[in-house]
Structure formats: structure tokens, C-alpha cells
């Protein structure tokens, strides 16, 4: 049975059993169904030959530069004997491999203290992680825990969980390898953009129903928390607009912060996204997109399970979640500013060290240019950094925060 047909039948069966489902549930099935979801059935489609690629697919220098930044954070913590890096949504593990390989070579003291944990929901991708990181896993420097929570769980159509009174499927916290008091670095590259979102229009909240045995959009009243989210962190839709409400992403960030209250924490999020001020200025109003074979589409229903679904990240909401949990949030940087700050001290020697011939250097220079220039990924991606129980002056002195002034947040205070 074709994957697309299986997912459509699953979605249709759920609607018949439970009534109209919110768009977030549809997105969750399409991306995270353990058998036929996009990240399970199409793990081989990542990379330049597939549907999308990340910075780690461009060149190993991305991981090498972040390894340098992680070493600086370890030093800012006064070189603790143990530190854990937790990567959310590590995919095939290319970034983790680059970080670990470069840390072992260039930052041996930090590497000796390091345990690298990879939290991945897809069973297929967890298998690929075992292959990519076999040496580091065997040496005990990396760990791939079984996923026990997060978006792999089912979303409900508005029911409540009896334990903590939040909808089913909301993230329940990070999977750690070391003790909770151990200093932790959380890294998320293109993770939050793939978390399910609600969609609000002037007619209400988007749901999917069945009409004549075909999927059909319908609009039902939104929840109070969704309207409150737009009041504080986004904008309300105007006529003809559809606005995403990424409450799951904000929940995920909040639970990460709460789960690490006993030790020092540094969070680095790299993704494409926006601030509330940008939305108020008329930008990034309706960003849901589907990607297949590097082609973008605004139709999320064309090929369920066969295409990637993403929505831009609301950095104002993520920053607010951090601040509400007592974290210090730095000014937003572009990926260009962040990487230039790390690399300029040694003229990006991390990129060119392996080059032996002029043509090799030329090729690497083009790859590096793609990572840091506005015409590549440099201005498209933003970097959010937040910390707790780390000397603020030492955080401010990190090389990744030294290039450019960054964008100041305007985070609404809790009422």
C-alpha cells in the first residue's frame, strides 16, 4: 500500500472516529507517524540530493565552528569535569560527528568532559545515527536514547491530559544522559520550524473534516490560549490571512528550561523565523510551506507523508519562554553574524585546514560563502542564545556574540 494512501486513510479514519481534527494533528501525522511519516519513511531524502539540506550538509566547518563555541561555553563554566550537549532533531548526525571529531582534535580538554546526547523521534533516523556515530557511541562519548516523549506522541482534538492539564502530544522534556545537575548545552538547528502549528484565520481555527469522503477544511472556534498567544507574541489575521500559532514550539522551549533548573544551561537555536515586531510591520504573516525535491509549495495537502512541512519560528515567543523560566536571553543574531564572530579570530582556519590544493581552497571558500552571506543562508537563519547560572559577562564575551550588534527583543511581560 503506498505511503501516501496509508497516511490519508489514517487521517480519514481518525476524523470519522473523533470528528474534525486541528491542523496541528494533521501536520503531526504527516511528519512524525512512526511508520509512514515524512521523517520516518523519507530519511534518505535529506541532503542536497533530497528535499532539503541544512548547514551541516554544506561543509563540516559549520560543526567545527560550533565546536569552538561549545568549548568557549565550557570554559565560561570554569571547565567542569562533565558537560552534556543535547542536540534536538539531529537527523543523520552529520553535525554531531563534525563537532565530536573537531573537539577531539582541537579541544581535547573539553572533549574529555563531553557527553553528546542526540534526541531524535524517528526510529529510522535513530538507526542512521548509530551508523554515523558508531565510533563515538562505542567510546561512550555519544548517546542516542529511546524517544520517550515529544511530538512523536499523539495530538488530541482538544482533550486534556489529566496529569498536567496540557493537550496530549505536547513535549514533556528533554532526554538526558547525565545527571540533571550536570551543566547542559542544548543545540537545535532547524528543529523548531518542523514542530506542528495551529492555524488561525478570520473564521476561526483551521480543522480538517470529511465531506463526501474527501478531506475538507473547516473552521472552528480557537482556544483561549491560542488567541492569547497572538495577543502577546504575534498578530491576529486580517481578511484572507492565515497565521500560525506555534504553541508546541513554545511549550518545548519552556519544558527544556524547566527540566534543567538544577544546573547551568546554555541554549542555542538556529532557524529561519521572525520577531513579533516584524509581523507587526507586515512581514512573515503566514509562513507554512511544503518542500519536496527542493521545490516549495503552499499546498500542505498535496502529498501527505511525502513532503516536508515547515513554518517559520516565532523567536519572540521562544525568547519569552526562556525569560519566563528565569533565563537570560541575548540579542538575536543572524547566522552570518554568529559564524563570522566565531571564525574571524583565526581567519576561518577550521574551514581550510584540510585543503592541500588551490582548487580545494576555492571550493571551500564558496561553501563558506554560502553559510555566511546574505545570498546564501547567512541572513535567512537567525540565532537565539539563552543561558541560566552562567556568568553573564562570560556569555556576552562568547565569540559568536561578538560580531554585529544583534536585534533587540521586545518580549511582552506575563500578565
Amino acid at each position: 500500500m503506498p505511503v501516501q494512501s496509508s497516511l490519508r486513510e489514517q487521517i480519514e479514519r481518525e476524523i470519522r472516529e473523533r470528528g474534525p481534527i486541528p491542523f496541528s494533528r494533521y501536520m503531526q501525522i504527516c511528519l512524525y507517524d512512526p511508520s509512514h511519516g515524512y521523517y520516518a519513511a523519507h530519511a534518505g531524502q535529506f541532503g542536497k540530493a533530497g528535499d532539503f539540506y541544512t548547514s551541516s550538509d554544506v561543509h563540516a566547518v559549520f560543526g567545527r565552528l560550533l565546536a569552538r563555541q561549545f568549548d568557549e561555553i565550557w570554559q565560561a563554566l570554569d571547565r567542569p569535569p562533565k558537560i552534556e550537549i543535547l542536540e534536538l532533531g539531529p537527523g543523520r548526525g552529520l553535525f554531531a560527528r563534525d563537532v565530536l571529531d573537531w573537539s577531539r582534535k582541537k579541544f581535547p580538554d573539553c572533549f574529555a568532559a563531553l557527553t553528546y546526547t542526540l534526541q531524535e523521534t524517528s526510529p529510522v533516523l535513530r538507526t542512521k545515527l548509530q551508523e554515523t556515530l558508531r565510533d563515538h557511541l562505542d567510546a561512550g562519548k555519544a548517546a542516542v536514547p529511546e524517544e520517550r516523549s515529544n511530538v512523536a506522541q499523539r495530538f488530541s482534538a482538544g482533550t486534556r491530559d489529566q496529569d498536567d492539564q496540557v493537550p496530549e502530544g505536547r513535549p514533556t522534556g528533554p532526554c538526558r544522559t547525565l545527571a540533571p545537575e550536570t551543566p547542559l548545552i542544548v543545540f537545535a538547528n532547524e528543529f523548531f520550524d518542523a514542530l506542528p502549528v495551529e492555524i488561525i484565520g478570520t473564521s476561526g481555527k483551521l480543522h480538517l473534516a470529511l465531506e463526501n469522503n474527501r478531506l475538507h477544511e473547516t473552521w472552528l472556534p480557537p482556544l483561549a490560549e491560542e488567541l492569547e498567544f497572538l495577543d502577546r507574541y504575534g498578530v491576529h489575521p486580517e481578511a484572507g490571512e492565515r497565521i500560525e500559532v506555534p504553541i508546541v514550539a513554545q511549550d518545548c522551549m519552556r519544558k527544556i528550561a524547566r527540566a534543567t533548573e538544577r544546573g547551568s544551561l546554555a541554549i542555542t537555536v538556529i532557524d529561519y523565523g521572525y520577531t513579533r515586531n516584524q509581523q507587526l510591520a507586515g512581514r512573515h504573516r503566514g509562513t507554512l510551506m511544503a518542500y519536496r525535491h527542493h521545490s516549495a509549495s503552499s499546498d500542505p495537502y498535496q502529498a501527505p507523508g511525502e513532503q516536508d512541512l515547515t513554518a517559520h519560528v516565532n523567536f519572540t515567543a521562544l525568547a519569552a519562554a526562556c525569560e519566563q523560566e528565569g533565563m537570560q536571553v541575548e540579542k538575536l543574531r543572524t547566522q552570518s553574524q554568529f559564524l563570522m564572530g566565531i571564525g574571524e579570530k583565526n581567519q576561518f582556519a577550521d574551514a581550510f585546514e584540510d585543503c592541500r590544493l588551490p582548487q580545494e581552497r576555492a571550493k571551500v571558500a564558496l561553501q563558506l560563502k554560502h553559510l555566511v552571506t546574505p545570498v546564501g543562508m547567512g541572513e535567512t537563519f537567525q540565532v537565539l542564545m539563552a543561558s541560566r547560572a552562567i556568568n553573564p559577562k562570560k556569555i556576552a564575551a562568547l565569540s559568536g556574540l561578538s560580531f554585529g550588534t544583534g536585534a533587540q527583543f521586545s518580549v511582552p511581560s506575563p500578565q
Side-chain angles (χ1 to χ4, degrees):
M1 182 183 296
V3 170
Q4 187 173 337
S5 174
S6 296
L7 278 180
R8 282 192 184 277
E9 290 179 1
Q10 178 182 336
I11 293 165
E12 292 171 3
R13 182 171 59 252
E14 183 166 319
I15 293 173
R16 290 189 184 98
E17 293 174 353
R18 306 174 65 178
I21 61 173
F23 181 83
S24 60
R25 173 60 179 155
Y26 170 81
M27 186 173 176
Q28 188 265 333
I29 297 173
C30 290
L31 294 182
Y32 297 104
D33 180 82
S35 298
H36 301 307
Y38 178 79
Y39 292 118
H42 294 275
Q45 290 293 87
F46 301 172
K48 291 187 176 182
D51 295 337
F52 69 92
Y53 63 90
T54 67
S55 294
S56 291
D57 292 299
V58 177
H59 191 275
V61 69
F62 183 72
R64 294 175 180 181
L65 290 172
L66 266 297
R68 190 171 294 279
Q69 186 74 123
F70 296 153
D71 177 68
E72 288 184 18
I73 294 173
W74 176 70
Q75 293 187 53
L77 287 163
D78 297 325
R79 303 165 67 92
K82 291 184 179 180
I83 189 170
E84 181 175 2
I85 295 176
L86 171 63
E87 184 180 354
L88 305 177
R92 296 168 295 161
L94 300 183
F95 174 82
R97 184 179 62 190
D98 293 337
V99 168
L100 286 164
D101 288 350
W102 206 243
S103 296
R104 180 171 55 190
K105 183 176 182 179
K106 295 294 184 179
F107 312 111
D109 292 339
C110 179
F111 182 76
L114 176 61
T115 297
Y116 199 113
T117 302
L118 302 104
Q119 184 167 338
E120 176 57 58
T121 62
S122 166
V124 175
L125 287 173
R126 285 203 299 271
T127 299
K128 287 188 175 293
L129 290 173
Q130 297 287 343
E131 299 170 359
T132 303
L133 298 165
R134 186 173 306 279
D135 291 346
H136 294 293
L137 289 166
D138 290 345
K141 300 306 296 181
V144 184
E146 285 296 313
E147 180 65 30
R148 59 177 184 265
S149 62
N150 215 306
V151 291
Q153 297 178 355
R154 288 171 63 88
F155 275 73
S156 71
T159 59
R160 295 282 172 174
D161 186 286
Q162 294 180 349
D163 292 331
D164 57 6
Q165 295 297 302
V166 296
E168 285 180 53
R170 295 285 177 86
T172 56
C175 298
R176 295 203 60 179
T177 300
L178 302 184
E181 63 271 13
T182 305
L184 176 67
I185 297 172
V186 175
F187 179 75
N189 181 46
E190 294 193 61
F191 169 77
F192 285 96
D193 65 90
L195 294 184
V197 296
E198 306 294 352
I199 294 180
I200 304 292
T202 53
S203 299
K205 173 179 170 180
L206 179 61
H207 286 67
L208 294 180
L210 284 177
E211 186 175 289
N212 298 323
N213 290 321
R214 295 177 64 88
L215 286 178
H216 170 70
E217 290 189 344
T218 188
W219 301 87
L220 298 175
L223 299 177
E225 67 170 329
E226 294 157 357
L227 296 177
E228 183 180 1
F229 182 97
L230 295 182
D231 288 340
R232 292 186 176 184
Y233 312 119
V235 294
H236 287 265
E238 298 179 357
E241 282 188 331
R242 298 184 176 196
I243 300 294
E244 297 90 25
V245 185
I247 289 181
V248 171
Q250 191 183 39
D251 279 353
C252 183
M253 180 66 86
R254 185 177 291 116
K255 288 186 169 72
I256 290 169
R258 288 178 180 173
T260 54
E261 291 177 346
R262 294 171 57 184
S264 299
L265 171 64
I267 297 175
T268 301
V269 175
I270 302 179
D271 226 314
Y272 44 88
Y274 56 87
T275 64
R276 182 172 190 257
N277 286 338
Q278 289 175 318
Q279 279 200 319
L280 290 171
R283 299 173 59 194
H284 306 291
R285 300 172 67 102
T287 66
L288 182 76
M289 294 295 291
Y291 292 92
R292 191 180 187 191
H293 305 312
H294 291 299
S295 295
S297 168
S298 59
D299 182 2
Y301 311 118
Q302 187 176 40
E306 302 281 338
Q307 58 187 3
D308 190 22
L309 301 177
T310 73
H312 283 31
V313 172
N314 186 322
F315 281 107
T316 299
L318 292 188
C322 291
E323 289 194 340
Q324 289 162 11
E325 299 304 322
M327 300 190 69
Q328 173 184 309
V329 179
E330 306 302 323
K331 293 180 180 179
L332 199 64
R333 261 73 176 181
T334 65
Q335 178 171 294
S336 175
Q337 292 171 328
F338 185 66
L339 297 182
M340 289 292 290
I342 301 172
E344 68 174 352
K345 289 184 179 180
N346 65 356
Q347 302 295 307
F348 286 95
D350 299 301
F352 298 106
E353 180 165 315
D354 299 331
C355 298
R356 298 293 179 264
L357 301 172
Q359 53 265 41
E360 291 176 339
R361 290 185 62 86
K363 179 181 179 180
V364 169
L366 288 175
Q367 292 168 328
L368 184 60
K369 183 178 180 181
H370 186 65
L371 286 173
V372 301
T373 61
V375 294
M377 305 169 81
E379 299 296 320
T380 304
F381 287 80
Q382 310 291 321
V383 182
L384 172 68
M385 290 194 70
S387 61
R388 180 198 291 122
I390 308 177
N391 187 320
K393 292 183 178 179
K394 291 184 178 180
I395 288 292
L398 294 175
S399 59
L401 302 178
S402 66
F403 192 92
T405 57
Q408 183 65 54
F409 280 111
S410 177
V411 179
S413 300
Q415 298 177 355

